[in-house]
Every structure is written in structure tokens, then in C-alpha cells.
Amino acid sequence: MVVVVVVDLTAGAGVGFLPLMSLGPAFAGLVGGWRRTAWIGSLALALTVGLGVYDDLLAHRRGITALVSVAGVTVAGLVAAVMRQQREEELASVRSIAEVAQRVLLRPVPLAAGSLRVAVSYTSAVADARIGGDLYEVVATPYGVRTIVGDVQGKGLEAVETAAVVLGAFREAAYDEPTLTAVGERLEHALERHLTAEKFVTAVLAESGTGPEPDPGCGSEPSMTLLNYGHPAPLVVRRDGTAAFLAPPERALPLGLALHGVKGPHPHTVDFAAGDQMLFYTDGVSEARDPEDRFYPLEQRAALLRDRDPEAAVEALRQDLVAHTQGPPHDDAAMLLVRYRSDEPCPPPAPDAVR
């Protein structure tokens, strides 16, 4: 608008820049609110009238055309600004609902559960979304600290609904069932009533310790029991820095694909002592690819988990994953890190235990 005024005053009315005064309210409607658009449109109309009087154009077609153009663009800008603000308010409302759904579906995991320290990272493949088809939960039960990490086939609201069914069944069964196999059977029964066609859920269940109280492992041999339903094998990182994938003894079908007479997975137990840590993840991590179509080398990145703070360690791994893909993820990516708490000293023996 300033340029149009300067050109008109210096070069004269013959240049024909006066209709370009409508660019002011046009851009204002794209980036500003309706009040700002109305103010700039009013200013543009006032400048157009002023220049029309100065150039003696209001009595000619050129002046009237310029005035009508500025007025019309101002009205269009006001309508566009109002509609855009309404859409932004609707989007803000949807995001707020998504945040509430996230807190209900994927509740924050405890920083410490029994003898474990826990950290989690979740990245949805859906733009501007907070939740997706990946799921995780950690609960301290009378039978030990139980964990689940899973991945629902597909994306979108249908996957979120299925994840809610799995998590709801797990939260109930983890407290009720004495064995991890029985917990898995409860999940299978819940999905039989929910899933249709050939839908399925890969998941790995884990159980550590013998109860919800911390157990530093003094004089004992702590372990982790795993039950894998077709899910990527967890990565264990030992205290000495060595890393390995904990593949199950036998491959099993995912949840939701159990056929009559087909046995489920067998639980297997691995050592999990002070200083060890175990990373549960979904295929959004292990199958993430760089621009050259190379998979993310998760085992080679185990050194990133050395940070004493589990949350900082998981965040470092997440940032490295983003750097590997060099863009937004193509699939939901969830990571849950559990560490055996080694910062608690062994208690002294009881007086009656001293010989």
C-alpha cells in the first residue's frame, strides 16, 4: 500500500497502480484476524479515496473501478479471516480432545515400578496427532511388575479403538491372573470379541520381580520373563555394554490370529540384574528407513542408552531415529526402556542372621 501511494504521487495517475491497493486487505485476510483485516481494508479505502481525489479519478471509470476493487477484496478478506479463525478453533478443540484421549489411553508410565526404572517415548505417524496404534503400559502387581508393548495393525481411529481394548484388558488381567500366560489368554479373549476379518495385534508381555516392592537383588538372581506374540524382540543392554535381541524360543502368532488347536507362545526367562536395561519398541523403530532405504541399526545404537537418566537416554535414541529417517516417521514409533535399579545399597543383615 505504501509503494502504491509513493508511485502514484511521484509517477502520476497514468501509471495505473491504484487498483493494487487491494493487495493490503487481501494479504491481511490470509495471515491476520478479521479485526486486522477490517482495519487495513478501511485504511486502503481511505487511501484510495484520497489518491482518487488527488488524481481527479473519482469521476472516471478508473477511479470507480479501483474503489470497488478495494472494497470487494476487503469484504472477501473479512469472510476468509472469519472462516480461517473458525477452522483454527475447531482444530484446537480436536487437539485438546486428542490430548485427553492420550491421557486416558496411554497414561504416563511410573518413573519407578518395583525394582525397575522406566522411561517411554511415543511418536505418532499421523501429522499433528498425539496417539495412534502403538500401545504400552507398566503396572506393579502382587505377582511382579508387568509390562506390555504392542502394535495394532493399521492406523487411524480404528487402531486407537483396538489399542484401547488391549490396554483395558491388560490393566485388569495383570492384577487378577497369577501367570503371564493367563494374562495373554485374557487379551486373546478380549480381542476375539472386538476384532474382525484378519486384524491382529503384535505384543510382548514382560514380568519382573515377585511383587510391587523394590528388590535390589541382594543374594538373589533377578530375571525377566517374556511372552512374545509376534512382536519385535526386545533389546537387552547388559551392564558391561553388550547388547543382544531376546528372540523367543519359538515364533508365535500375534494376538487376534489364534486358531482352534493352535497353542500360544511359551514364556521364556532371561537374566536381568542390577545395571541391565531392556528396550521394548515397535516396528516403527526397527523398520525406520533412511533416504537410501536402509533400516535403523538399533543394536548398533545401544550406546546411546548409557545416560544415567532413563528419560534422557530414550530421548537421545529418539533424536537419533529422527536424524536417521531425515523426516517425519512413516509409522508410529514407541519405545519403552526399563532398567534394573542399581542405586539402592544392599541392606545389612538382621542381627539374628549373624552367626
Side-chain angles (χ1 to χ4, degrees):
M1 290 165 58
V2 173
V3 171
V4 173
V5 172
V6 172
V7 171
D8 188 89
L9 293 177
T10 56
V15 178
F17 271 22
L18 195 57
L20 296 181
M21 194 69 70
S22 59
L23 291 177
F27 284 111
L30 292 176
V31 299
W34 68 269
R35 290 184 178 86
R36 181 180 180 183
T37 304
W39 181 83
I40 294 180
S42 300
L43 178 61
L45 283 171
L47 291 174
T48 302
V49 172
L51 291 176
V53 173
Y54 178 80
D55 296 329
D56 194 20
L57 292 176
L58 293 184
H60 300 81
R61 181 182 300 176
R62 287 177 53 193
I64 296 175
T65 301
L67 193 61
V68 171
S69 300
V70 174
V73 173
T74 300
V75 173
L78 285 171
V79 174
V82 170
M83 294 179 62
R84 178 173 50 80
Q85 286 182 313
Q86 290 177 347
R87 289 194 297 269
E88 290 175 351
E89 292 174 358
E90 292 174 356
L91 179 59
S93 177
V94 170
R95 289 179 176 175
S96 177
I97 294 173
E99 291 176 359
V100 174
Q102 181 194 36
R103 290 193 293 268
V104 174
L105 179 61
L106 297 178
R107 300 179 302 195
V109 299
L111 299 180
S115 59
L116 304 179
R117 296 181 64 191
V118 185
V120 67
S121 170
Y122 186 91
T123 304
S124 174
V126 181
D128 297 325
R130 303 298 183 92
I131 55 178
D134 289 0
L135 57 97
Y136 54 82
E137 182 61 289
V138 178
V139 293
T141 75
Y143 309 105
V145 179
R146 288 175 169 174
T147 304
I148 182 173
V149 174
D151 186 2
V152 179
Q153 179 196 19
K155 299 181 178 66
L157 294 178
E158 185 178 357
V160 174
E161 182 181 0
T162 303
V165 171
V166 175
L167 288 175
F170 175 79
R171 288 163 181 163
E172 291 291 331
Y175 288 98
D176 297 339
E177 302 297 341
T179 66
L180 207 58
T181 301
V183 175
E185 291 175 352
R186 287 273 294 271
L187 300 182
E188 194 73 71
H189 293 326
L191 286 174
E192 285 178 1
R193 298 188 296 268
H194 172 77
L195 292 180
T196 58
E198 295 296 325
K199 300 293 184 180
F200 60 86
V201 179
T202 66
V204 57
L205 282 66
E207 180 180 286
S208 173
T210 57
E213 296 300 323
D215 176 16
C218 300
S220 63
E221 296 181 357
S223 60
M224 182 80 77
T225 301
L226 302 173
L227 189 65
N228 196 316
Y229 287 88
H231 196 77
L235 177 69
V236 63
V237 183
R238 301 298 181 186
R239 188 172 185 176
D240 59 4
T242 58
F245 291 106
L246 300 175
E250 298 178 2
R251 299 291 297 178
L253 293 175
L255 293 166
L257 294 182
L259 302 177
H260 181 70
V262 177
K263 295 183 179 180
H266 297 286
H268 63 287
T269 302
V270 296
D271 295 334
F272 194 63
D276 292 346
Q277 52 189 333
M278 192 173 297
L279 180 71
F280 300 88
Y281 56 93
T282 59
D283 58 8
V285 176
S286 57
E287 296 181 4
R289 305 191 184 196
D290 63 8
E292 298 181 3
D293 210 31
R294 295 175 297 188
F295 289 110
Y296 182 66
L298 180 59
E299 187 175 3
Q300 300 175 18
R301 298 294 197 270
L304 296 173
L305 300 176
R306 293 178 179 176
D307 196 297
R308 293 180 60 86
D309 182 7
E311 293 185 349
V314 171
E315 177 61 19
L317 193 62
R318 187 195 69 82
Q319 292 181 2
D320 186 71
L321 178 66
V322 172
H324 176 81
T325 58
Q326 298 182 21
H330 298 289
D331 194 5
D332 299 332
M335 294 182 288
L336 189 145
L337 179 67
V338 296
R339 287 183 176 179
Y340 198 95
R341 292 162 62 178
S342 59
D343 54 351
E344 298 182 5
C346 294
D352 58 356
V354 178
R355 295 290 185 263

